[in-house]
Amino acid sequence: MNPQNTSTTRLRLKNHNRVVVKIGTTSLTYPNGQLNLQRIEKICRVLSDLCNQGKDMILVTSGAIAVGADALALSERPRDIAGKQAASAVGQAMLMQIYQNFFSMYNRRIAQILLTKDVLDGGVREANARNTLNTLLAMNVIPVVNANDTIATDELDELSDNDCLSAHVAVLSGSELLVMLSDIDGLYNKDPRINSDAAIYHEIYEITPELERAAGGAGSSLGTGGMATKLTAARIASGIDTVIASGEDPAVLWQLLSGEQIGTLFVAKDV
């Protein structure tokens, strides 16, 4: 599982200059569903500082449905497609305004990009999306990406928690590193929330049936929490170093890009 020296493997992350960071709804909100503004402010500050270091940063964010549901005073997150789309339409505008306010505090410009799965299937639209990303990055703008839930239905299932979307964006943008910030600080051999003896995988060089069982299938606690989709994302981004880390403190990005052993690293193939 870990055939190479850990410090050597991790230190190469310091040299990655184009990075996609995905942050999920659970990392953006409190347990009561309200936005965690302190955490959002910090993710904006950390990404802005990394840009100041000369790195290209792309943010893939969830949270639009949760923000919209709260703004509409709904008693719970919508369960039907139409309800989710309506909440997303309201929440996306509000979420981008919040990001805009925080990033502007650090003199950073952002741009909204909403993608649907069919755009990522190749052809002219994929080329247009790639060109837009590259042009924005060349202009020192941070792209803020989300699935376009208001006009699509399959994204609400297939791009669950934006894990797979972030992997596609990493490939599309030619990024060297994908970081998925989660409510769990990495991939364990069993659910750490109910097993005190659970052990984390620090480096992974191949996704095996053992790892798939550890990630959990449909209906399991880890699978429901999104670890299975993160494994799928790591497959999509197999040529890109991919890290699962805790989203509790966005400062973890500074640590990762300093070569510290944080979370679970899926080591890119053919590197």
Side-chain angles (χ1 to χ4, degrees):
M1 192 69 64
N2 301 318
Q4 298 184 24
N5 179 271
T6 296
S7 60
T8 301
T9 303
R10 292 287 180 156
L11 285 174
R12 79 178 191 199
L13 300 188
K14 297 171 65 176
N15 298 319
H16 290 341
N17 292 316
R18 182 165 291 188
V19 182
V20 173
V21 176
K22 179 264 175 180
I23 189 163
T25 301
T26 53
S27 297
L28 294 172
T29 58
Y30 291 108
N32 63 4
Q34 296 288 310
L35 281 177
N36 186 331
L37 295 175
Q38 178 177 260
R39 189 168 294 162
I40 296 174
E41 185 275 332
K42 191 163 187 180
I43 190 74
C44 294
R45 174 155 49 100
V46 172
L47 293 183
S48 296
D49 183 69
L50 290 170
C51 286
N52 289 347
Q53 295 177 29
K55 297 184 184 295
D56 293 336
M57 304 302 299
I58 300 171
L59 176 62
V60 176
T61 182
S62 299
I65 295 177
V67 172
D70 179 65
L72 293 169
L74 302 180
S75 59
E76 62 179 9
R77 178 187 172 98
R79 300 179 184 275
D80 62 301
I81 293 296
K84 290 178 181 178
Q85 290 175 322
S88 176
V90 172
Q92 184 63 34
M94 297 178 66
L95 187 62
M96 283 302 298
Q97 183 178 25
I98 291 167
Y99 277 125
Q100 178 69 52
N101 290 340
F102 282 131
F103 273 114
S104 66
M105 291 169 55
Y106 302 103
N107 298 314
R108 280 290 155 190
R109 292 170 296 168
I110 63 171
Q112 175 180 258
I113 296 181
L114 298 175
L115 294 175
T116 53
K117 186 174 181 294
D118 57 339
V119 172
L120 304 171
D121 287 340
V124 174
R125 285 183 296 180
E126 181 174 304
N128 288 339
R130 181 182 298 108
N131 291 339
T132 299
L133 280 169
N134 288 333
T135 301
L136 288 170
L137 292 170
M139 292 177 171
N140 295 315
V141 175
I142 298 177
V144 180
V145 185
N146 201 349
N148 195 348
D149 294 334
T150 60
I151 63 168
T153 57
D154 53 358
E155 279 74 13
L156 295 174
D157 296 315
E158 293 184 29
L159 298 182
S160 176
D161 292 324
N162 281 345
D163 292 324
C164 293
L165 176 61
S166 68
H168 283 296
V169 170
V171 173
L172 185 68
S173 61
S175 294
E176 299 154 295
L177 176 63
L178 165 63
V179 181
M180 292 182 282
L181 298 178
S182 172
D183 56 348
I184 299 178
D185 62 350
L187 177 62
Y188 286 76
N189 62 347
K190 60 182 75 172
D191 190 341
R193 294 172 291 193
I194 58 176
N195 297 281
S196 60
D197 61 341
I200 193 171
Y201 295 101
H202 290 296
E203 276 83 38
I204 293 174
Y205 292 82
E206 181 182 2
I207 298 176
T208 64
E210 174 191 1
L211 291 175
E212 292 174 340
R213 288 191 294 272
S220 73
S221 56
L222 276 176
T224 301
M227 198 56 68
T229 62
K230 288 174 177 57
L231 217 59
T232 300
R235 281 199 187 92
I236 294 170
S238 61
I240 299 167
D241 284 329
T242 299
V243 174
I244 300 172
S246 172
E248 184 174 350
D249 185 357
V252 70
L253 294 169
W254 281 319
Q255 297 171 280
L256 276 170
L257 289 166
S258 295
E260 293 186 31
Q261 183 173 274
I262 302 291
T264 297
L265 168 63
F266 293 83
V267 181
K269 293 182 179 179
D270 301 322
V271 295

